[in-house]
Amino acid sequence: MIFPIVAYGDPVLRKKGEEITKDYPELSKLIDDMFDTMHKSRGVGLAAPQIGKAIRLFIIDSRKMYDEGEEEKGLEEVFINAQIIDEEGEDWRFEEGCLSIPTIREDVSRQPKITIQYYDRNFKFQERTFDDLTARVIQHEYDHIEGILFIDHLKPLKKSLLKGKLEKISKGMVDVNYKMKFPKK
Ligand code: ZN
């Protein structure tokens, strides 16, 4: 099943996600459906709030961010109840976008290396360190389960310049080639 992606302006994107247990109803199907939804919209990450569920679950597939032949540097993974426990290195800027905020892309500054604890799709505990583009995608998706959006990292002036565009997105006045749910439509 392909979920509609919740657009900017929906309060679910501002909620801090609740932890889940391995008994969460149809968890495995939910994860499969999230992968289908992410691939269909050509995303590299998707967090549960973006499909309307305020829980601590997100998925990533950073493989296609790497050049042909280097895809193995990327990672396909499921993160349940994740906690970033360390971030290190000099901030670096990279252009980010978000399936919930189509057509807006802006440089965001983040640290290059993270250590994160989480449960994988088999509910096996993991503590791993990631860097580069994979860390970047995880940081972006992790923000989602904390109720934070990438535009929150922009300077106030930059963010205020986007206000009109964001208002239009929340009303569905945006060209997008995947299924979305607009809060003010
Ligand atoms: Zn996003």
Side-chain angles (χ1 to χ4, degrees):
M1 176 192 152
I2 307 288
F3 289 104
I5 307 265
V6 169
Y8 175 85
D10 192 308
V12 74
L13 294 176
R14 291 309 192 178
K15 284 192 187 145
K16 204 176 146 106
E18 300 267 351
E19 290 201 345
I20 59 170
T21 64
K22 57 162 104 49
D23 306 318
Y24 190 84
E26 293 191 81
L27 181 59
S28 189
K29 183 182 184 321
L30 172 63
I31 291 167
D32 288 342
D33 287 347
M34 282 177 70
F35 272 109
D36 288 347
T37 302
M38 179 180 76
H39 290 136
K40 184 93 182 165
S41 51
R42 308 190 140 276
V44 291
L46 183 70
Q50 294 181 278
I51 54 156
K53 296 180 191 299
I55 55 174
R56 295 186 80 80
L57 163 65
F58 62 87
I59 59 170
I60 70 156
D61 185 354
S62 62
R63 292 173 302 180
K64 60 173 164 270
M65 296 179 83
Y66 289 89
D67 293 336
E68 229 181 287
E70 297 200 316
E71 292 95 341
E72 79 284 357
K73 286 187 185 168
L75 173 79
E76 185 186 57
E77 182 65 306
V78 176
F79 295 81
I80 298 168
N81 299 342
Q83 294 289 344
I84 289 181
I85 56 165
D86 194 32
E87 290 186 85
E88 44 189 317
E90 286 277 311
D91 277 10
W92 67 298
R93 298 176 74 77
F94 187 78
E95 195 185 66
E96 295 187 26
C98 180
L99 293 174
S100 295
I101 317 175
T103 70
I104 295 182
R105 298 192 67 85
E106 295 289 343
D107 275 358
V108 177
S109 210
R110 300 185 192 268
Q111 287 179 278
K113 193 171 171 185
I114 62 162
T115 299
I116 187 168
Q117 294 180 335
Y118 62 99
Y119 294 85
D120 64 18
R121 73 171 300 162
N122 301 314
F123 247 89
K124 191 167 170 257
F125 179 77
Q126 305 279 351
E127 180 177 318
R128 295 178 68 180
T129 298
F130 299 102
D131 63 3
D132 197 46
L133 295 170
T134 298
R136 172 69 60 160
V137 181
I138 293 170
Q139 286 163 317
H140 178 113
E141 300 310 325
Y142 184 83
D143 272 355
H144 275 299
I145 62 166
E146 293 285 315
I148 298 167
L149 300 170
F150 83 95
I151 50 171
D152 300 340
H153 294 283
L154 305 176
K155 297 224 163 71
L157 176 64
K158 186 103 214 172
K159 203 177 167 184
S160 69
L161 290 172
L162 293 173
K163 224 176 149 196
K165 224 172 163 182
L166 288 168
E167 184 64 19
K168 280 188 177 164
I169 290 170
S170 67
K171 290 177 179 160
M173 295 157 71
V174 63
D175 241 343
V176 61
N177 55 11
Y178 48 88
K179 208 169 23 151
M180 288 193 83
K181 180 177 166 265
F182 300 100
K184 297 184 184 169
K185 205 171 173 176

